[in-house]
Amino acid sequence: MGQPLRKAEPETRSYRERIRELVEADRVEGARRLLAEALERGDHGEDLSRWERVLAKTKGRRNPEVALDFDRTPEITWIREKSDPYKGQWVALLGDQLLAHSASLDEVMAVLEANKPPRRPMVHYID
Amino acid sequence: MFKLGALDFSCGRSLFRDTLKEAPESTAKVFVKIQLEGRSESNIYAQIDTGAAWSVLDPLVAKSLGLLDLDGQRTTLHTRFGRIEGILAKLLVTFLADDGIALEKHGTFFISPDWPSGRTFLGYSGLLASMRFALDPRTNHFYFGP
């Protein structure tokens, strides 16, 4: 004789609890589906707005106003080849140009503040 | 830019690094240039991790940007460092371009002071799953698009 089928237990845990459990188990798609079910039902009396926010998929946006980044190879090359005389000092570099150097970072930053370079310089401690 | 037939696959590309001096690894990884919350002082290299659900923010970076105390969704994640408590919060990520146009996306980050500092990861479900990206390992180019 076969075993009698067990009746499914009614779910007693809150949506918040169940969503959190799925998230903690890295089951993100499951969490999204459960959240969608909760939002569709709408009668659970729970604030799920935080989960809505963190589980939402968002579209990307091109932003031409963000300045292009640039290759720091010239700065790295300068540090490798020319930094020996500056041991124990901070240097500010833009490309292969040394903009400022001092044992004091504040002094280097003050020079940069007074003569603002066209792009963000690399500030590096030579040890 | 990278084309898919006649269509643009990507809007920008940047050079990625295989290694980071501050996060030594025994094998090559992919570290790409990003900016967080539109703040240029936050420009960092972050590791692409398609095996992770969530992105994780270096707690030192989070602290410097005032993001450690964000009002996010509290949760616990099982990580290779054990169970870590923190918050999940949406942050604006900008993929910085060396060529083309930068891409802005909101991604879900796990932020916890207990996460070992030194590395930021970009995970799949909360960020990378809804954008285009491709790698050219011969030139170390990371292509990205909406």
Side-chain angles (χ1 to χ4, degrees):
Chain A
M1 240 171 88
Q3 293 286 322
L5 286 173
R6 278 180 61 190
K7 203 174 165 185
E9 300 281 332
E11 184 56 66
T12 54
R13 291 170 306 157
S14 66
Y15 274 113
R16 255 200 305 230
E17 207 177 332
R18 290 158 64 200
I19 290 169
R20 182 179 167 134
E21 196 175 286
L22 289 169
V23 166
E24 290 184 0
D26 273 357
R27 293 172 60 190
V28 182
E29 284 312 312
R32 284 184 174 132
R33 281 197 297 273
L34 189 59
L35 176 66
E37 178 195 303
L39 295 175
E40 199 180 303
R41 277 192 49 186
D43 60 350
H44 44 74
E46 296 178 59
D47 178 11
L48 299 173
S49 55
R50 282 182 175 162
W51 281 125
E52 262 188 276
R53 184 164 162 72
V54 298
L55 290 173
K57 285 185 179 174
T58 59
K59 283 193 172 173
R61 183 180 84 94
R62 297 161 191 231
N63 188 346
E65 286 169 20
V66 175
L68 287 183
D69 205 9
F70 45 93
D71 186 6
R72 291 290 192 184
T73 304
E75 285 92 337
I76 304 294
T77 305
W78 188 97
I79 290 170
R80 197 168 53 236
E81 295 175 355
K82 298 181 180 169
S83 65
D84 269 1
Y86 302 95
K87 275 196 172 148
Q89 294 190 44
W90 291 89
V91 295
L93 300 163
L94 191 58
D96 58 1
Q97 297 285 305
L98 177 65
L99 303 180
H101 63 94
S102 167
S104 157
L105 178 59
D106 287 346
E107 276 181 28
V108 169
M109 298 313 281
V111 171
L112 297 177
E113 188 59 36
N115 305 290
K116 284 203 164 72
R119 294 190 304 193
R120 194 163 47 88
M122 175 186 271
V123 179
H124 191 83
Y125 183 74
I126 310 295
D127 54 11
Chain B
M1 274 308 96
F2 196 16
K3 296 276 188 183
L4 189 65
L7 302 172
D8 284 340
F9 176 85
S10 65
C11 65
R13 78 172 180 188
S14 63
L15 281 170
F16 69 85
R17 287 194 186 176
D18 301 311
T19 57
L20 281 189
K21 189 177 154 196
E22 52 274 35
E25 284 274 351
S26 53
T27 57
K29 300 290 186 288
V30 177
F31 298 93
V32 301
K33 287 183 283 196
I34 60 161
Q35 184 176 98
L36 293 163
E37 298 289 271
R39 292 164 60 176
S40 60
E41 76 271 25
S42 73
N43 292 12
I44 53 171
Y45 277 91
Q47 184 180 332
I48 297 283
D49 186 356
T50 54
W54 305 112
S55 302
V56 183
L57 184 59
D58 179 344
L60 285 184
V61 175
K63 190 174 179 189
S64 72
L65 296 174
L67 303 174
L68 261 188
D69 302 316
L70 274 184
D71 184 26
Q73 173 64 56
R74 288 214 71 78
T75 192
T76 305
L77 292 192
H78 300 269
T79 74
R80 60 180 158 140
F81 305 109
R83 280 170 63 89
I84 295 184
E85 277 200 35
I87 57 160
L88 287 171
K90 271 276 201 274
L91 300 180
L92 177 67
V93 184
T94 306
F95 290 88
L96 297 169
D98 296 320
D99 300 295
I101 297 173
L103 174 71
E104 289 184 339
K105 267 194 76 64
H106 281 91
T108 302
F109 280 75
F110 181 65
I111 305 173
S112 167
D114 299 329
W115 179 260
S117 63
R119 193 169 302 172
T120 294
F121 290 93
L122 303 179
Y124 195 69
S125 299
L127 179 65
L128 300 171
S130 52
M131 61 181 276
R132 287 172 166 164
F133 62 97
L135 298 173
D136 182 347
R138 289 199 302 180
T139 58
N140 271 37
H141 278 131
F142 172 63
Y143 291 83
F144 51 81

